[in-house]
């Protein structure tokens, strides 16, 4: 169907607080704005793509900002 799934177990984890939680297969403790996760993906062709995310967070971090960006590698 053309979907690309970026699973937490397949990313690079960077920063002081962010960790991959193997027991839950998720990224946890993502509270520092300097922390980030990175996936390397080969996109089959140029086009417009819809991006969706699934996440959960405790009430004290609800409303924090996030950024999704792309980096084109040649």
């Amino acid at each position: 169907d053309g979907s690309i799934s970026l699973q937490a177990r397949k990313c690079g984890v960077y920063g002081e607080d962010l960790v991959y939680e193997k027991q839950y297969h998720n990224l946890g403790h993502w509270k520092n704005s300097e922390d980030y996760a990175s996936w390397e993906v080969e996109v089959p062709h140029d086009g417009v793509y819809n991006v969706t995310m699934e996440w959960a967070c405790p009430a004290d971090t609800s409303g924090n900002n996030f950024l999704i960006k792309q980096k084109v590698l040649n």
Side-chain angles (χ1 to χ4, degrees):
D1 68 355
S3 296
I4 300 171
S5 179
L6 305 180
Q7 300 172 5
R9 65 185 176 88
K10 295 183 176 181
C11 74
V13 177
Y14 305 92
E16 293 182 24
D17 298 314
L18 181 61
V19 295
Y20 172 68
E21 297 180 320
K22 188 174 183 178
Q23 69 272 31
Y24 304 116
H25 305 289
N26 73 324
L27 300 173
H29 305 281
W30 202 336
K31 56 191 173 198
N32 185 329
S33 63
E34 299 299 315
D35 292 355
Y36 67 97
S38 176
W39 291 261
E40 190 170 318
V41 179
E42 188 170 327
V43 178
H45 54 80
D46 291 347
V48 176
Y49 291 85
N50 293 318
V51 176
T52 60
M53 292 177 38
E54 291 183 27
W55 76 91
C57 64
D60 65 337
T61 60
S62 178
N64 284 358
N65 295 318
F66 63 90
L67 173 67
I68 298 173
K69 67 180 183 175
Q70 71 178 24
K71 181 177 182 181
V72 178
L73 303 175
N74 293 325

